[in-house]
Each structure stands twice: as C-alpha cells, then as structure tokens.
Amino acid sequence: MATDEEAPLVVENPKNQNPIVNHERDIHILSCAFLLIFLAYGAAQNLESTINTEGNLGTTSLGILYLSFMFCSIFASLVVRKLGSKNALILGSTGYWLFVAANLMPNWYTMVPASLYLGFAASIIWVGQGTYLTSTARSHASDHILNEAVIIGKFNGEFWGMFASHQFVGNLITLALMRDGEGGSTSGTTTLFLVFIGTITLGAVLMCFLSKRTGKEETGLQDSSASFFFSVVTLFKSIITLLQDIRMLLVIPLIAYSGLQQAFIWAEFTKYIVVPTMGESGVGGAMAVYGVFDAICSLVAGHFTFGLSSISIIVSGGALVQAAVLAWILLSHSVTGGVLGILYPLLIAALWGIGDGVLNTQLSALLGILFRDDLEGAFAQLKLWQSFAIAIVFFLGPYISLQTMLVIMFAALCLSMSGFLFLTLKVEKAFSYRAV
C-alpha cells in the first residue's frame, strides 16, 4: 500500500473553486528543462580548455563567467523578486543559449561578453530554481497535508537526479558527434554546438509551461510597484540579516566546498588523472560515469531526506566518501597503464559523483528548511559562495600543483563539515527551542 508521501496527486476542481495546481507536474517540467539546458552547457564547459586553447581563451572565459556569476548573485534575489521565479527561469536560459552560440565563432569579442552575460543569467536562473522548487514543495505539502521536509527532500531528489544526468547525456552526444582529426584537430564541433543550441531552446520553451507561483507562495517577494531604491535597500538588509544569522555563517563553508569539489572534477581531475592515462578522448567517458553516479545518488539521497537529522547523516556519508578519495589520490596517485589505468579514474569519478549528488540535494533541502522566510536570499548566498570557490579554482589551478590542490580541498572539507555538524547538532536545536 502506498504511503501518504507516495500517494498519487489527484487534481480536483469543485464548482466555483479554483483548480488545485499540479505541483508534481511542475517539478517534472522544471527537471526536464534543466536537463535539456545543462546537457548542452555542461558538455560545452568540459570542452572549453581543449577546443579554445589560443591565449587560454576557454579557461579564461570560464573564470570570467564565474566571477560575473559571483557578483551578480548579490543582486539576483532582487531580480527574481521583481520578475517572479518563473520569468527569472525563462530569462536565465537565454544566457546559456548565447554562451553556446558564441562557441560557433570563438574569439575574445564573442566569448567574453557571452561569459559576462551568462554570469548574470546563471545567478537568476539558479536563485529562481531554488525559490520555485521550494515554494512548489511547500504548496504541495500544504495542499495535501504532508510533511513539508519530506516533500522538499523528495522534490530536490527528483530535480537533482535529473540534473546530474546531464553529464552523462551531454558527453554521449559529444562522443557521437565529435571526431579526432589529423594533427590533433577535431571535427564536428559546429554540428555539436548547433545541436546544443537546439536543446537549450527546447528547454527554455518547456519552462513556459510551468505554473506561475504567487507572491504568497514565494515568501519574501516584494510589491512590484515598490521603488527601485526601496528594493535595493531591502535587498541589502536581507543580505546583512542573513550574514548575521549564525546558521548561514555555519553553512557557508559547506557551500564554498561544494563549489570547490565541482571545479575540481571539471578541471583538476580531467587534467591530472584522466588525460595522462586515458587521453583526451577518455574525458567524455569518465565524466559520463561521474554523471551516472551523481544522478543515482541524488535520487536516493532525496528519497531518504526527512529533516535535519537525515540531512546530517546523508551529508556526513558523502563527505566521508570524498575525504577517502582525496586521501587516496594524495597518498597513492601515480600514472599507470593497462586496465588499472582505465579503472582508476573511472572509480574516482563514480565515488566523486556520489559526494556531489549528496551535496546538491542536501544543501538545497537544508536552505529550504532553515530559511523558508527568505528563499531568494538564501539561494543567492548559495550561488554566490559556490561561484566564488569555482572561480578560484579556474584562476589559480594552472599555477598550483595537484598535491597543493588536494591539501586545500581536504582542509576545506574538514572545516566545512565541522561547521555543518555544529549547526545541525547544536545551533538549530537552540533556534527550534526558542521558536516553541
């Protein structure tokens, strides 16, 4: 027999009453739209350092992108409040379309402006995503008298499971369309990016079918008629208030680490571990394995999220997996050939995907539970600190060794987990006690 959480949604429309919104349908649409958009962007990002090598155009563009992302994340919540989360999602998709299109004619005059704009677009699409998903979960729980934390975890699990599979799907498309040519050249890039432009367009169109969330559902939205000055003042008050909240201060290190570990797998892992043993052609396969395990773990972690206690256990498990991988690479990494040379990076990719899936689902669920009165501001903080950490890796990675990066990662993981466990075991209990 199905439990209350698993019971199918029945949409009723009594006479003279407004129909109940199908919230599960909206999460299906949101998840599919992000998969279509990010299978294109994720694969394009993986290729930047290999196809746009002149003057380090590819890596420099990505560094500029994430710096722009970090800066724009400060104001992203204001934009989302003005537009509404659905409109912010649609507008945000245009940045990914422009960035992929710029790769058809890659030069400093196309890639840099596209990267700057994508930083803005990414900030609002991710704040919009966090706000839309959490408000949808809360509305679904309210309409059907279900546990709010359970539904937030379930919806995050579905979304991040679908999202994580973009690495698998996007890299398969790349492997199918790109070919190694003579003299180290590649063919099929134009066709590849045209296909990616098509998938992003389809994803943006799909977002138009999302139900519009009301201001009541998206707690913290301001009156659209308010003056711009008043909105900016309110925004900075929100930022300052969140940064004065001990709960946010304790979760920021974990947010920053989540960005570090993502940039590590995109840049350092492929450069130092995959390419020396599997060659450039092996990058797609390794990242596909990473995407599969990321997607599976996201779905499983979301299914078992019931509240702060379950989040603590799941995050601790994912952290232990990544800590073991970091120690393994630091103490025993060496370039080997044969079967072990193939299995070694694939196993690391699989284990790292497990940790990333945990962090993605649980951070979103954690912020949705702790900061339900200011979702836009909380998810803006999430993307601000993530993008800051990612930008650091892209800019500093070429100048430090793999061993130095591993030590930094290990120290960041220990620091972030100490703050997180103190938050969930001590601080939040004090906040809950005061609220009673």
Side-chain angles (χ1 to χ4, degrees):
M1 181 179 293
T3 64
D4 290 340
E5 293 88 355
E6 298 169 340
L9 176 63
V10 178
V11 180
E12 300 177 354
N13 187 16
K15 189 175 182 180
N16 299 324
Q17 293 186 20
N18 293 326
I20 296 177
V21 176
N22 191 329
H23 304 294
E24 291 183 325
R25 163 189 169 276
D26 285 333
I27 295 302
H28 300 333
I29 292 175
L30 183 69
S31 302
C32 291
F34 267 71
L35 171 61
L36 290 168
I37 292 170
F38 282 89
L39 71 84
Y41 170 71
Q45 179 178 251
N46 292 339
L47 293 170
E48 288 301 320
S49 61
T50 57
I51 64 174
N52 294 326
T53 57
E54 186 175 351
N56 292 321
L57 174 61
T59 54
T60 302
S61 296
L62 290 175
I64 292 171
L65 188 163
Y66 283 100
L67 281 180
S68 173
F69 191 174
M70 179 190 69
F71 177 77
C72 292
S73 292
I74 298 173
F75 303 95
S77 61
L78 173 61
V79 177
V80 174
R81 287 172 179 173
K82 288 295 183 182
L83 294 177
S85 56
K86 176 183 176 179
N87 292 333
L89 289 167
I90 296 171
L91 178 61
S93 66
T94 62
Y96 295 91
W97 192 98
L98 183 63
F99 181 83
V100 172
N103 278 274
L104 293 172
M105 296 182 63
N107 56 59
W108 293 102
Y109 300 103
T110 57
M111 294 299 295
V112 172
S115 297
L116 287 170
Y117 178 66
L118 178 53
F120 161 75
S123 69
I124 65 170
I125 200 174
W126 279 112
V127 174
Q129 177 273 330
T131 303
Y132 191 92
L133 186 148
T134 306
S135 62
T136 302
R138 287 163 54 183
S139 297
H140 182 74
S142 176
D143 289 348
H144 301 277
I145 318 176
L146 301 173
N147 184 291
E148 186 175 292
V150 171
I151 301 303
I152 290 175
K154 177 183 176 182
F155 282 11
N156 269 291
E158 176 180 340
F159 173 83
W160 288 108
M162 286 284 288
F163 175 81
S165 64
H166 80 267
Q167 284 284 359
F168 176 72
V169 180
N171 280 293
L172 283 185
I173 295 174
T174 300
L175 288 172
L177 296 181
M178 287 189 66
R179 295 288 183 273
D180 293 329
E182 297 181 358
S185 63
T186 56
S187 61
T189 54
T190 299
T191 302
L192 178 67
F193 286 117
L194 287 174
V195 170
F196 285 162
I197 288 172
T199 64
I200 294 174
T201 302
L202 182 57
V205 171
L206 199 57
M207 285 182 177
C208 296
F209 293 94
L210 291 169
S211 303
K212 189 173 182 179
R213 297 284 130 190
T214 65
K216 182 179 179 181
E217 292 174 313
E218 296 176 355
T219 305
L221 290 179
Q222 303 298 320
D223 185 352
S224 61
S225 63
S227 68
F228 178 76
F229 175 77
F230 176 78
S231 297
V232 171
V233 170
T234 303
L235 169 66
F236 278 99
K237 283 183 178 179
S238 173
I239 293 173
I240 294 172
T241 300
L242 281 175
L243 291 178
Q244 291 176 334
D245 191 325
I246 185 63
R247 298 175 298 175
M248 179 58 74
L249 293 177
L250 288 173
V251 82
I252 281 175
L254 187 62
I255 291 173
Y257 174 76
S258 72
L260 286 177
Q261 62 89 26
Q262 287 179 5
F264 174 81
I265 198 73
W266 297 334
E268 306 300 296
F269 168 72
T270 54
K271 178 180 179 181
Y272 290 108
I273 297 176
V274 178
V275 172
T277 57
M278 300 177 65
E280 291 186 0
S281 60
V283 172
M287 294 303 289
V289 171
Y290 165 77
V292 168
F293 279 84
D294 199 334
I296 294 173
C297 186
S298 296
L299 288 169
V300 173
H303 180 74
F304 287 102
T305 301
F306 304 107
L308 288 178
S309 59
S310 62
I311 290 175
S312 301
I313 296 172
I314 295 170
V315 170
S316 297
L320 285 175
V321 171
Q322 290 201 343
V325 172
L326 290 171
W328 179 20
I329 300 173
L330 186 62
L331 298 176
S332 64
H333 170 65
S334 62
V335 177
T336 59
V339 177
L340 286 179
I342 297 176
L343 293 179
Y344 183 77
L346 294 181
L347 180 57
I348 292 176
L351 293 174
W352 205 261
I354 293 173
D356 184 65
V358 163
L359 286 173
N360 283 333
T361 55
Q362 302 308 296
L363 272 175
S364 294
L366 180 68
L367 294 179
I369 293 171
L370 295 183
F371 304 101
R372 65 194 311 272
D373 293 330
D374 189 4
L375 295 178
E376 301 93 338
F379 285 104
Q381 292 282 342
L382 172 66
K383 291 305 170 181
L384 187 157
W385 295 105
Q386 275 186 340
S387 56
F388 174 71
I390 292 171
I392 287 177
V393 174
F394 278 124
F395 280 120
L396 297 183
Y399 305 103
I400 61 177
S401 66
L402 174 62
Q403 288 72 24
T404 302
M405 178 61 71
L406 291 170
V407 171
I408 293 173
M409 294 279 294
F410 197 87
L413 177 57
C414 292
L415 176 64
S416 62
M417 283 304 298
S418 298
F420 170 72
L421 291 176
F422 184 71
L423 164 69
T424 56
L425 297 177
K426 299 290 185 181
V427 175
E428 183 53 26
K429 285 184 178 180
F431 270 78
S432 300
Y433 178 78
R434 271 182 265 167
V436 175

